[in-house]
Amino acid sequence: MFETQFTNLDWVIVIVYLSGTALMGMYVNKYVHNASDYLVGGRSAGTALSIASFIGTGLGLVTLMYASMDGFTKGFSFLVVPLIAFVVYLILGSSGFAIKRLRELKLTTLPEYFEVRFSRQARITSGLIAVLAGVLNMGLFPKMGATFITYATGLGGEDAELTVNIITSLLILLVLVYTVLGGMVAVLVTDYIQFVVLSLGLGLGLWFCLNSPAHHLDWESMVSTWQSSKGEAAFNPVHENSYGWTYVIWQVLIVFTASICWAPEATRALTTQDSGTTKRTFFFGAPGFFVRMAIPAVWGIAAYTFVFHNPELHDFFLGENAQGHPSQAMPLLLGKIIPTGFLGLLVAGLLAAFMSTHDSYLLSWASIISQDIIAPLKGVKKLTDQQSILYTRISVVLIGIFLLVWGIWYELPDSVWTYMSITGMVYLSGSATALIGGMYWKKASTVGALWAMYGGLLAISGLFVEGIQNWYQEKYGKSIEGWFNGPSLTLVVFGVCILLFIAGSVMHPDTDSMSGHKEDA
Amino acid sequence: MILATAWIKFWESVLIVGFGSFALLVLIVIPMGARDILRLFKKLNGNS
């Protein structure tokens, strides 16, 4: 049932490709002369390279996994999320809202903004919360990557859980070596390679998903299968049996704030040649941010169709005693419909992308630890190059150890995207409020910014909603009111952060000496 | 069902526009990105 078309030839392709990419990273590393090169790539990426790197960061195996999981469970309705991303990036790119000003300040990390505009304490607080949310957010990345490899290569079966855990550990080790040796210049180059290989890989996967009639896979068959099994809810995202209005509004807010404040993506806005390049990167990057979720969503939609028409798999994934998890469906589908050779190339490209997403993320969070937490706490304006790179590397290893523990202990929820949105909101609800408020409201004060950031911590409660719901169901035999869910809860937290920001700024305005030149930031 | 049909048409159009614009972007960015990388190396080589 779990056998795929992955053969020894494919393993050879994977090993050659990954070794080649690692050697490339080491070669590029020769061009890194100082901390600025290591952390922001010498701030000299042109428009095309910025776009490729911008999309390359977001175009990871993890993105493909969570988008395909929601495609598998919610159908065409999930396409509303990539559509929101498409529109938000077009608007930001054409208006330059917030991103233009951020680039003009020549920052290395985002929390640095809070020191320029508010105070050192605001910077440290933002840095701590950003790292907490960021590391929790990527907590499930290694496990998702390992699940993909296990099921795409035909290793799924009775011992699948053990296999997933072993591969998770190996992947984390590989990522740490890769990141510690490289840096942002290497990221820019390897991201470009990912962009090229994965664009072709995504197209290839899509073509097979829409042209495999032997497996009931073509557009008409997918539409009719979903229509017969889920009805209108498969296509209408605001339908009561689909996501609903609250979720869609929540997504608009998340995509908008993340594009400005979420370090791995927003750091790209800081590494361009000038603010014009930043605007162009966001505008022309928009189709990339659509495709990175829309294509895997179609893969997930196809996986459901494939499983639906295969009696054995239907029982495993959709039967009364279903044991399958949505995360296993898409890799299994690709492993079965993509021919040997092509499959090896696709898995190699996705594994390399997995590395590049991790090195971008690890470097983003680790550089916040060294630049925004350690440096201000030591009372120095700037760490020396050696210190900066050393602290960043130590942070990378510590985050890696956390990922190992969290990845093996925490069970994959049915929607990893919802998990990622909630953990993201821990940082985004407070920091986005303080960032946008600080830019566009003269009376914004340090106390207001700090209150908003602390308020964001309330969003952590969103992670426990599912557990509370299950407990309530067991104890009282019915489910809690419909409004009690992660999206509603974190939307309320966002509102609380805005109120705290306004109240703190009005009740505790900055003194004149503090805010003299800062309002222009 | 009429509403579902309208949604299907809508998603068809969205996918065509989204995938089409991405294909165009890929064709433009691949050669230009390669040129940017060569420039970046030259610049860093002449760097501290």
Side-chain angles (χ1 to χ4, degrees):
Chain A
M1 174 160 74
F2 296 110
E3 64 283 355
T4 65
Q5 307 207 52
F6 200 90
T7 62
N8 288 338
L9 169 69
D10 295 300
W11 279 117
V12 171
I13 293 173
V14 167
I15 291 165
V16 168
Y17 185 100
L18 286 182
S19 316
T21 311
L23 289 172
M24 180 86 183
M26 288 180 203
Y27 171 75
V28 170
N29 204 24
K30 291 201 309 189
Y31 288 86
V32 175
H33 304 305
N34 56 34
S36 170
D37 287 350
Y38 184 81
L39 295 175
V40 290
R43 220 189 282 278
S44 41
T47 302
L49 187 56
S50 284
I51 293 171
S53 178
F54 193 45
I55 297 171
T57 300
L59 201 63
L61 177 51
V62 174
T63 317
L64 302 189
M65 285 294 284
Y66 69 65
S68 72
M69 284 166 72
D70 269 51
F72 182 83
T73 52
K74 299 287 189 183
F76 294 79
S77 294
F78 179 70
L79 291 172
V80 74
V81 178
L83 181 61
I84 291 168
F86 195 30
V87 174
V88 163
Y89 278 91
L90 284 178
I91 291 172
L92 282 176
S94 50
S95 69
F97 178 79
I99 55 172
K100 184 167 173 284
R101 211 176 283 199
L102 272 179
R103 176 63 191 84
E104 286 165 352
L105 289 169
K106 293 192 172 176
L107 309 170
T108 306
T109 65
L110 272 167
E112 208 176 325
Y113 169 81
F114 294 108
E115 182 168 14
V116 174
R117 174 64 177 83
F118 297 113
S119 70
R120 177 166 293 186
Q121 192 189 355
R123 175 180 181 175
I124 297 172
T125 306
S126 170
L128 281 169
I129 296 174
V131 170
L132 170 74
V135 173
L136 271 177
N137 181 270
M138 66 185 293
L140 298 180
F141 285 16
K143 196 165 198 168
M144 280 198 286
T147 303
F148 177 87
I149 294 168
T150 303
Y151 285 89
T153 58
L155 295 173
E158 285 184 8
D159 296 327
E161 197 173 336
L162 178 66
T163 310
V164 166
N165 282 341
I166 292 172
I167 295 178
T168 300
S169 313
L170 287 174
L171 284 177
I172 291 172
L173 194 65
L174 205 56
V175 161
L176 289 181
V177 171
Y178 186 89
T179 308
V180 168
L181 291 176
M184 198 69 193
V185 177
V187 168
L188 282 171
V189 176
T190 50
D191 274 354
Y192 169 77
I193 298 170
Q194 305 316 338
F195 173 78
V196 175
V197 173
L198 282 191
S199 300
L200 300 174
L202 286 175
L204 186 77
L206 186 66
W207 193 85
F208 281 109
C209 279
L210 295 174
N211 290 289
S212 299
H215 297 292
H216 297 276
L217 290 180
D218 56 51
W219 180 258
E220 296 303 326
S221 170
M222 278 154 55
V223 167
S224 61
T225 301
W226 276 91
Q227 201 160 14
S228 62
S229 71
K230 301 273 177 114
E232 193 191 320
F235 307 96
N236 178 356
V238 295
H239 191 276
E240 59 182 350
N241 294 329
S242 184
Y243 289 110
W245 275 109
T246 310
Y247 193 96
V248 172
I249 292 167
W250 185 56
Q251 286 299 313
V252 171
L253 204 59
I254 285 178
V255 171
F256 170 66
T257 52
S259 56
I260 298 171
C261 295
W262 192 244
E265 270 87 9
T267 301
R268 294 314 149 100
L270 308 176
T271 57
T272 53
Q273 279 169 336
D274 50 48
S275 58
T277 307
T278 298
K279 283 178 67 174
R280 284 193 295 277
T281 300
F282 271 69
F283 187 82
F284 291 109
F289 279 83
F290 172 78
V291 159
R292 74 176 194 144
M293 288 206 215
I295 286 187
V298 173
W299 290 357
I301 291 165
Y304 181 89
T305 310
F306 172 70
V307 161
F308 192 85
H309 292 285
N310 179 321
E312 211 176 5
L313 288 173
H314 187 284
D315 280 351
F316 182 74
F317 282 104
L318 308 168
E320 276 190 21
N321 296 315
Q323 300 163 307
H325 189 269
S327 63
Q328 300 155 356
M330 180 274 281
L332 193 60
L333 168 80
L334 292 185
K336 284 181 180 290
I337 64 169
I338 294 184
T340 300
F342 279 127
L343 186 59
L345 199 59
L346 181 67
V347 171
L350 287 174
L351 256 181
F354 178 85
M355 301 290 159
S356 86
T357 298
H358 273 75
D359 67 10
S360 299
Y361 268 65
L362 283 170
L363 216 50
S364 291
W365 304 125
S367 64
I368 286 178
I369 293 175
S370 68
Q371 311 288 315
D372 298 311
I373 299 173
I374 294 176
L377 284 177
K378 286 182 74 146
V380 294
K381 189 158 176 59
K382 201 168 178 286
L383 294 169
T384 66
D385 278 0
Q386 280 86 353
Q387 282 178 322
S388 182
I389 292 177
L390 176 70
Y391 286 129
T392 301
R393 285 177 172 168
I394 291 172
S395 306
V396 164
V397 173
L398 290 176
I399 294 172
I401 293 170
F402 169 81
L403 289 180
L404 187 64
V405 175
W406 188 259
I408 288 175
W409 169 75
Y410 195 95
E411 280 191 20
L412 278 186
D414 276 355
S415 173
V416 170
W417 175 239
T418 301
Y419 167 92
M420 289 173 62
S421 297
I422 291 171
T423 48
M425 283 298 259
V426 172
Y427 163 69
L428 290 173
S429 48
S431 286
T433 302
L435 181 96
I436 295 168
M439 274 186 187
Y440 295 99
W441 186 37
K442 287 200 168 194
K443 293 189 175 177
S445 79
T446 301
V447 173
L450 287 171
W451 284 10
M453 288 176 197
Y454 292 136
L457 291 172
L458 294 170
I460 291 182
S461 57
L463 287 180
F464 304 105
V465 166
E466 212 170 303
I468 293 170
Q469 278 173 332
N470 293 340
W471 168 81
Y472 191 90
Q473 179 83 36
E474 274 178 27
K475 195 167 171 62
Y476 298 104
K478 57 178 184 177
S479 55
I480 309 179
E481 294 294 327
W483 55 264
F484 184 74
N485 54 44
S488 303
L489 203 64
T490 43
L491 266 179
V492 170
V493 169
F494 204 103
V496 168
C497 288
I498 293 173
L499 290 176
L500 285 171
F501 179 69
I502 295 170
S505 297
V506 171
M507 290 159 64
H508 300 276
D510 286 344
T511 53
D512 287 348
S513 61
M514 282 169 71
S515 58
H517 65 284
K518 293 185 173 183
E519 287 160 6
D520 298 331
Chain B
M1 268 306 127
I2 294 172
L3 196 56
T5 310
W7 274 106
I8 293 165
K9 286 284 168 211
F10 173 70
W11 291 128
E12 267 183 29
S13 322
V14 166
L15 289 176
I16 289 168
V17 171
F19 293 167
S21 56
F22 182 71
L24 200 61
L25 182 76
V26 168
L27 291 175
I28 295 169
V29 163
I30 288 179
M32 285 178 68
R35 190 198 59 186
D36 276 355
I37 286 179
L38 294 175
R39 277 187 189 171
L40 179 67
F41 279 5
K42 268 184 192 167
K43 191 168 176 172
L44 288 176
N45 238 358
N47 194 328
S48 64

